[in-house]
Amino acid sequence: MRSLFQILFFGVAFAFNSLAEEGDASKIPPAALTEIDFVRDIQPIFSASCYSCHGEDKQENDLRWDTKSSALKGGTSGLAIVPGKSGESRMIHLVAGLEKNLVMPKKGERLTAEQIGLLRAWIDQGANWPEEVALPKTKDKADWWSFKPATRPELPKVENKKWARNELDLFILAKLQEQKLAPSPEADRRTLIRRLSFDLIGLVPSPEEVEKLVNDKNPKAYENLVDRLLASPRYGERWARHWLDVVHFGETHGYDKDKPRLNAWPYRDYVIRSLNNDKPYSRFVEEQLAGDVLFPDESDGIVALGFIAAGPWDFVGHAELPIEKTDGLIARYNDRDDMVMTTMSTFQSLTVHCARCHNHKFDPIPQKEYYSLQAVFAGVDRADREFDSDKETRHRRRELKNEKSALELKLAALAPEKSPANGYHSGIEKIPDYTKWVQVDLGESRKIDEIRLIPARPVDFPDTPGFGFPLRFRVEMSDEPEFKSGKVLADFSGSDFANPGDVGVSIRVPDGSAGVPPASSKSVLTHDVLERATNSQAGRLRSDESRSFRFIRVTATKLWKRTHDYVFALAELQIFSGGKNIALHAKVSALDSIEAGLWSKQNLVDGFSSRAKLANIREPAKSGFESESPEISKITNRLAEIQAKLNSLPPPQTVYAATADFTPNGNFIPAKIPRPVHLLARGDVKQPRELMVPTGITAVSGPDAKFQISNLNDEGSRRAALAKWITDRKNMLTRRSIVNRVWQYHFGRGIVETANDFGHMGASPSHPELLDWLAFWFLENGESLKKLHRLIVTSATYRQSSAHNPEFAKVDSDSRFLWRMNRTRLDAETIHDSMLLISGKLDLTMGGPSAQQFGFKDDHSPVYDYTQFDVDSAAGRRRSIYRFGVRSAPDPLMDSLDCPDASILTPKRNVSMTSLQALAVLNDPFVLKQCEHFATRVATAGKLEKQIEEAYQLALNRKPTAEEMKRLVPFAQKFGMTNVARMIFNTSEFMFVD
């Protein structure tokens, strides 16, 4: 009971909010005049008003009010409580509204004067917070079906056992009986073969195949058909499309510069090949996460890593922004977020990425574990990666590269000043007329006698002498780093300069020849500035002018063509004064620079050119290079031999995949060791907290979430640990996830409707016992996807008719419990491919580069124009799985038919029925062309009645009825068979299964 005095006090103080002036502490309600009990008086206030933003799940400003230690420590803005001094405690100021535009709590009702008085009294009395006080009981996030251990259920006891064709039917039947429902009769064979063909291979069956099944007296005729379809190479093409949806595979980067990925297609072919070969699912998973580590002798171990690189990639954030800048760092964290999201959504059906800014709101996934998963991918990026399909070549290349790496490390240890560096490399441009510069700071003004430009011949371009040497350039000297004033020593920007190859370019300063080491005519080409003054714009410096400067700059005004782009590169910039190279180890700056691998600004003045490692090429001592020791010479000779042997091997293939070793592109450079990944307070890169190490998710029952990684600098070991955790036989969530996906694609909905979210915000399973039974069955049957398909499609459940039953619909209107087979609309690819098959124009060639069914313009932001494509070309006849997928510009026909955006994960496609679809299927150029070919194909049947009958058999697998024939013959006579074909393609019977 409160005293009368307290009641009067709080009544008077209640209006303080309207009277208090901002910052006026005297207007804060006074402390309550009673002894405060923390549990009774304070904890309820914290629980009601503070925990939502400063509790277990979320800690804004890095502050928690649900634990004593955190609350008394304060947050990023300092102490919130000063025990004994409530008037100086920031918490009181915030709840009282004394800080401009910042009142706590942010959400919900403001604290009353009484509540603030209680808080003040508690603080003034020493902020007593008993250690033994427990938090109020909250819902246990781990108390959810997907986080509980899976157990293999017993087969249910049911009536009418004769209906069941295999064990899974018993679970369906038990649920139907529980709901007082009954299964539907079996569909006819014509319906079943169409259902199976669309389902397993994504193509309409031929009239001959339909007739064969309908008339087959073999009691195993249906099962034989299933086996034949599963053995078809078309099966892998069909089901690979489902997988590519799940992992949001695309062949462009997305974002604002949606550049093409011309080497993404090998991953698509890998998925098709793996499914056709019925690769065990765990092997399939492990290859896609760490195949290069776990299966180094297999080319699929590299190609499969296209999984990690399947999603969108921010070209600007990686190539144009350095990681040191905030936006560049955000781009790197975003990239790893996509890798984590794709991995965990695909293989675990968990929304782990929701814990990026705070602990997961609904599932038992702390923020710390999210960033631990980011640490798994801290050493890889998305880029082109080489691989060899031939086993012998693959082994030989790996042996040579391993030996090369070991020798380069040894060389660096023996002669660190002669590290195998290439030199300086500018950023990469798409046009040659782009100005780039690099300059050397001598520290003070020094007398200059000669400048030598040593061309690059990098180890990765061993057959390219004069790599990056500019076509046009000038050399300047100044005492100001900005070169606002100074002297032009030589100007070769008026016309193209002949590439010097392996010969250095020497530019002598007038009267500066004394004491300069003579240049060999074979190694250095001398350009006397005064001698060239009358023939070019060189020679700005007169002999009587000062030759002392601090900064030397080389400016390229026309870049060297590399492949399809342009660069500026030099191995060395030497500056001689009194016979000594004073540029050695000087400070270097540049407009831009690739700082990765063997390229760096400082490598421009390290006294060593990578050409010294190439066969029969040595930098002469007179050019400023010291003689090599016998051991160094032996290593460099062997390195040259290795490079020659590598060059003699058949050229490798390329796949766009996860890699830690790739050609730098601007600021996009490989990580030598895994990058540091910090837990980010509120997901903010400006608020890094503790450094993270790779772990799994502790809430996933079964496998140990603590990874055993002996060498954290080995990025591959990180991915391998995650792969093994996911495929651990005790991790039944992995098996629950995949069997649910397969079930969904067969029935139109999963046992769990939210295939990517098995958490609290996802759906509960309609048949939980069946889900676990299937997971264990799958594991015990070698994780064979084909066996799982066969189990499902040979079941009585799958063979049911889709006929409507009004009485059953009152109980289960959308047939969630499967009292009938669900009707589904054909997806975009099946419609597209079946049209080609029916018209007789489908090209069944498998694999290879994707068909670019658009006009392409490689601009600053690429342009993809579908109106420029010839739909009747060879590329237009490929199966849709081989269609080049553009993120920013989807194919209009496929887009209208609900083909998903490749920038997002699509565990289940939307199925819509719109007028736009009808218009597209009526008028799209591709459809119209197939209608023409369809009409030509059936023309050989003879008179119109026979042509119409043939068209029906090809597209609908039946003969037209008498009424249909009566209407279609005059229609065909008036409008032609092309329009009959057009009408058939627009019927619901063609567009829907069943």
Side-chain angles (χ1 to χ4, degrees):
M1 295 289 292
R2 301 289 185 197
S3 67
L4 177 61
F5 176 83
Q6 286 176 285
I7 296 173
L8 292 173
F9 156 70
F10 286 121
V12 172
F14 183 75
F16 88 98
N17 282 330
S18 61
L19 299 175
E21 297 179 7
E22 186 174 77
D24 186 358
S26 65
K27 301 298 182 179
I28 302 175
L33 302 178
T34 185
E35 185 175 345
I36 301 298
D37 180 273
F38 177 80
V39 175
R40 181 193 65 203
D41 301 317
I42 304 302
Q43 194 175 58
I45 299 175
F46 286 172
S47 180
S49 302
C50 305
Y51 288 171
S52 61
C53 294
H54 303 283
E56 180 184 6
D57 293 333
K58 186 177 181 181
Q59 301 88 41
E60 288 195 6
N61 204 29
D62 200 25
L63 178 64
R64 292 182 65 166
W65 286 112
D66 61 335
T67 63
K68 177 180 180 179
S69 59
S70 177
L72 296 181
K73 182 179 71 174
T76 55
S77 300
L79 291 176
I81 297 172
V82 182
K85 299 179 180 180
S86 64
E88 298 178 17
S89 296
R90 189 161 186 249
M91 179 184 74
I92 300 299
H93 287 220
L94 290 172
V95 297
L98 297 186
E99 293 195 14
K100 186 176 182 180
N101 299 326
L102 188 59
V103 180
M104 294 297 170
K106 286 183 179 180
K107 301 176 182 178
E109 297 181 2
R110 295 275 301 276
L111 297 190
T112 65
E114 179 181 5
Q115 290 173 315
I116 295 173
L118 292 172
L119 290 173
R120 288 200 65 179
W122 173 63
I123 294 173
D124 288 340
Q125 294 170 22
N128 179 45
W129 190 325
E131 294 286 352
E132 65 275 9
V133 171
L135 291 175
K137 290 290 183 181
T138 58
K139 184 178 180 180
D140 183 4
K141 293 181 180 179
D143 185 18
W144 186 248
W145 70 269
S146 58
F147 301 113
K148 295 176 181 178
T151 57
R152 179 162 188 161
E154 296 292 329
L155 294 176
K157 292 180 171 58
V158 296
E159 301 173 5
N160 189 23
K161 284 186 179 180
K162 291 182 179 180
W163 176 79
R165 289 183 177 270
N166 59 38
E167 295 94 332
L168 76 81
D169 289 326
L170 299 176
F171 290 94
I172 299 298
L173 192 56
K175 183 67 71 171
L176 291 176
Q177 292 176 355
E178 178 185 302
Q179 300 293 322
K180 301 189 183 318
L181 299 170
S184 297
E186 183 168 304
D188 62 78
R189 286 194 169 187
R190 173 191 163 274
T191 298
L192 288 176
I193 188 173
R194 281 177 64 86
R195 184 186 295 172
L196 275 175
S197 294
F198 285 132
D199 205 355
L200 293 181
I201 66 172
L203 294 170
V204 62
S206 69
E208 295 76 19
E209 290 170 325
V210 174
E211 288 305 309
K212 181 179 179 181
L213 179 68
V214 169
N215 298 315
D216 195 337
K217 303 302 182 182
N218 187 334
K220 293 293 184 182
Y222 179 86
E223 287 76 5
N224 293 339
L225 172 64
V226 171
D227 291 338
R228 180 176 63 79
L229 293 175
L230 287 174
S232 168
R234 311 282 82 83
Y235 157 77
E237 293 172 330
R238 166 61 170 164
W239 281 80
R241 183 63 265 169
H242 293 319
W243 187 259
L244 297 181
D245 278 5
V246 172
V247 304
H248 65 347
F249 171 81
E251 294 178 86
T252 60
H253 290 328
Y255 288 91
D256 50 345
K257 289 190 178 180
D258 193 22
K259 296 180 179 294
R261 296 175 179 173
L262 299 179
N263 297 310
W265 61 267
Y267 172 71
R268 174 209 65 210
D269 284 0
Y270 157 81
V271 175
I272 295 172
R273 185 168 61 252
S274 297
L275 295 177
N276 276 333
N277 293 338
D278 200 19
K279 185 171 290 181
Y281 185 66
S282 283
R283 173 70 179 251
F284 187 52
V285 173
E286 290 172 356
E287 286 179 345
Q288 293 180 81
L289 288 173
D292 54 340
V293 180
L294 298 174
F295 312 104
D297 291 333
E298 303 293 334
S299 59
D300 276 359
I302 292 176
V303 180
L305 297 179
F307 165 83
I308 298 175
W313 181 75
D314 186 356
F315 175 86
V316 173
H318 286 82
E320 298 183 2
L321 295 174
I323 195 171
E324 293 79 13
K325 289 190 174 181
T326 299
D327 287 346
L329 185 57
I330 290 173
R332 273 68 172 185
Y333 270 95
N334 285 343
D335 202 50
R336 287 192 298 270
D337 176 76
D338 181 81
M339 295 177 185
V340 170
M341 175 181 66
T342 304
T343 300
M344 300 305 290
S345 296
T346 299
F347 300 130
Q348 300 293 279
S349 295
L350 292 178
T351 56
V352 173
H353 51 285
C354 292
R356 183 174 182 177
C357 300
H358 45 72
N359 291 343
H360 200 294
K361 286 283 190 182
F362 308 103
D363 299 335
I365 303 171
Q367 187 185 21
K368 183 175 181 178
E369 290 184 353
Y370 163 80
Y371 283 102
S372 293
L373 286 171
Q374 272 220 15
V376 170
F377 302 102
V380 292
D381 290 284
R382 310 167 199 250
D384 284 339
R385 182 169 183 172
E386 294 181 347
F387 69 97
D388 295 291
S389 294
D390 178 72
K391 190 172 184 178
E392 185 177 341
T393 303
R394 183 166 60 252
H395 288 175
R396 185 60 177 149
R397 194 185 304 278
R398 186 169 67 245
E399 289 174 355
L400 291 170
K401 283 192 170 183
N402 288 342
E403 184 182 359
K404 179 182 175 183
S405 297
L407 287 173
E408 287 178 345
L409 288 173
K410 189 174 182 180
L411 180 65
L414 288 171
E417 77 283 359
K418 295 187 176 184
S419 59
N422 288 332
Y424 161 76
H425 191 306
S426 75
I428 302 168
E429 303 300 336
K430 290 295 184 183
I431 57 173
D433 298 319
Y434 205 105
T435 300
K436 302 279 186 179
W437 57 262
V438 62
Q439 69 186 36
V440 174
D441 179 1
L442 300 175
E444 60 182 352
S445 186
R446 302 286 297 274
K447 178 183 176 183
I448 310 298
D449 297 326
E450 180 185 3
I451 296 173
R452 292 181 185 173
L453 311 181
I454 307 300
R457 190 175 181 183
V459 293
D460 46 350
F461 285 83
D463 299 322
T464 312
F467 176 95
F469 201 90
L471 274 70
R472 301 187 184 191
F473 65 96
R474 62 179 180 269
V475 182
E476 303 165 90
M477 305 187 293
S478 178
D479 280 322
E480 299 176 332
E482 298 84 7
F483 277 73
K484 294 179 180 178
S485 62
K487 302 296 181 181
V488 177
L489 177 60
D491 191 340
F492 300 107
S493 59
S495 59
D496 287 359
F497 190 92
N499 190 283
D502 284 324
V503 180
V505 176
S506 172
I507 301 173
R508 292 181 179 271
V509 180
D511 297 331
S513 60
V516 179
S520 165
S521 61
K522 293 183 179 180
S523 63
V524 179
L525 176 64
T526 302
H527 289 268
D528 190 300
V529 174
L530 292 181
E531 288 177 2
R532 295 177 58 85
T534 56
N535 299 319
S536 72
Q537 295 186 31
R540 302 297 190 205
L541 189 68
R542 298 194 308 272
S543 60
D544 60 343
E545 288 184 302
S546 170
R547 292 185 286 111
S548 296
F549 294 94
R550 175 176 174 175
F551 299 95
I552 307 298
R553 175 182 287 191
V554 179
T555 302
T557 56
K558 186 176 182 180
L559 306 181
W560 177 82
K561 185 175 182 180
R562 190 177 63 163
T563 48
H564 302 294
D565 46 32
Y566 300 86
V567 301
F568 166 34
L570 287 174
E572 284 289 307
L573 175 57
Q574 300 172 344
I575 303 171
F576 288 94
S577 178
K580 183 179 180 182
N581 178 15
I582 58 175
L584 199 63
H585 307 308
K587 183 179 179 181
V588 180
S589 58
L591 176 68
D592 56 25
S593 171
I594 287 179
E595 299 289 317
L598 304 180
W599 294 108
S600 172
K601 295 189 294 290
Q602 286 307 127
N603 292 346
L604 183 66
V605 291
D606 64 354
F608 180 79
S609 166
S610 60
R611 292 184 296 135
K613 292 183 355 179
L614 301 175
N616 302 319
I617 299 175
R618 292 290 181 272
E619 297 294 351
K622 291 180 179 180
S623 293
F625 292 95
E626 300 175 1
S627 299
E628 294 179 344
S629 71
E631 188 172 3
I632 291 177
S633 178
K634 181 179 178 181
I635 293 175
T636 56
N637 286 336
R638 178 55 185 161
L639 284 169
E641 292 173 3
I642 291 173
Q643 188 61 53
K645 290 178 179 179
L646 285 169
N647 294 341
S648 68
L649 293 174
Q653 297 168 267
T654 305
V655 60
Y656 188 83
T659 178
D661 183 15
F662 54 89
T663 302
N665 182 3
N667 290 294
F668 182 49
I669 58 179
K672 294 180 180 178
I673 59 174
R675 303 176 181 92
V677 172
H678 295 269
L679 186 151
L680 303 180
R682 304 170 69 179
D684 185 355
V685 296
K686 295 180 181 179
Q687 298 188 58
R689 296 294 185 263
E690 60 184 297
L691 187 67
M692 307 309 298
V693 296
T695 67
I697 302 298
T698 54
V700 174
S701 61
D704 186 356
K706 188 175 182 180
F707 297 163
Q708 302 299 320
I709 303 174
S710 58
N711 181 9
L712 286 174
N713 286 335
D714 178 16
E715 75 82 18
S717 296
R718 297 178 176 214
R719 291 183 285 112
L722 175 62
K724 288 298 185 181
W725 178 78
I726 288 174
T727 59
D728 190 303
R729 290 182 67 86
K730 292 179 287 187
N731 189 345
M732 293 306 296
L733 195 57
T734 302
R735 284 80 194 181
R736 282 168 163 171
S737 175
I738 185 59
V739 299
N740 185 69
R741 291 189 193 281
V742 174
W743 185 276
Q744 170 191 275
Y745 291 122
H746 284 302
F747 291 99
R749 67 196 310 166
I751 296 173
V752 181
E753 289 194 58
T754 50
N756 270 18
D757 188 2
F758 281 9
H760 285 266
M761 296 306 290
S764 297
S766 59
H767 301 77
E769 296 83 6
L770 173 59
L771 181 65
D772 279 359
W773 184 88
L774 284 171
F776 279 98
W777 183 95
F778 182 64
L779 186 62
E780 293 163 3
N781 281 270
E783 295 184 304
S784 165
L785 289 170
K786 285 190 176 182
K787 287 182 180 179
L788 179 61
H789 289 302
R790 195 178 194 282
L791 176 74
I792 292 173
V793 301
T794 57
S795 68
T797 304
Y798 182 84
R799 300 192 206 191
Q800 292 180 99
S801 163
S802 60
H804 185 62
N805 184 319
E807 293 303 315
F808 290 174
K810 292 178 182 178
V811 178
D812 182 19
S813 61
D814 55 356
S815 187
R816 187 175 185 222
F817 300 122
L818 291 172
W819 53 267
R820 64 168 172 82
M821 186 58 176
N822 293 315
R823 294 189 183 97
T824 57
R825 200 204 71 198
L826 299 180
D827 60 26
E829 288 84 354
T830 304
I831 293 171
H832 174 278
D833 297 352
S834 291
M835 284 182 177
L836 280 171
L837 180 64
I838 292 166
S839 71
K841 296 300 179 181
L842 179 61
D843 178 3
L844 289 175
T845 302
M846 295 183 68
S850 296
Q852 297 186 10
Q853 299 175 348
F854 46 77
F856 177 68
K857 181 180 179 182
D858 189 8
D859 206 344
H860 182 70
S861 291
V863 176
Y864 305 91
D865 186 352
Y866 290 91
T867 64
Q868 296 181 16
F869 177 67
D870 178 7
V871 296
D872 207 27
S873 64
R877 299 175 182 181
R878 294 294 303 278
R879 194 163 184 192
S880 54
I881 187 70
Y882 303 114
R883 180 177 57 91
F884 194 99
V886 181
R887 297 186 198 274
S888 62
D891 181 296
L893 174 63
M894 306 298 277
D895 187 45
S896 72
L897 294 171
D898 301 315
C899 203
D901 180 354
S903 294
I904 60 175
L905 302 177
T906 307
K908 182 180 179 181
R909 292 192 181 188
N910 292 326
V911 180
S912 61
M913 296 297 295
T914 67
S915 56
L916 182 62
Q917 291 172 357
L919 290 170
V921 179
L922 275 171
N923 302 303
D924 186 87
F926 167 80
V927 178
L928 294 178
K929 184 57 66 175
Q930 301 321 307
C931 290
E932 293 176 11
H933 292 312
F934 189 8
T936 301
R937 181 181 182 184
V938 300
T940 59
K943 59 182 183 179
L944 278 180
E945 289 83 352
K946 288 292 185 181
Q947 292 183 39
I948 294 171
E949 183 177 314
E950 178 76 4
Y952 260 60
Q953 291 281 22
L954 287 169
L956 306 179
N957 297 127
R958 67 173 177 87
K959 293 181 180 181
T961 65
E963 180 63 26
E964 288 170 333
M965 186 66 78
K966 181 180 177 180
R967 295 188 177 192
L968 284 173
V969 170
F971 179 86
Q973 290 172 337
K974 184 175 182 179
F975 299 107
M977 280 302 297
T978 297
N979 280 308
V980 172
R982 195 177 177 198
M983 184 202 67
I984 291 174
F985 282 155
N986 276 272
T987 61
S988 295
E989 189 173 352
F990 174 74
M991 299 284 284
F992 279 79
V993 182
D994 295 356

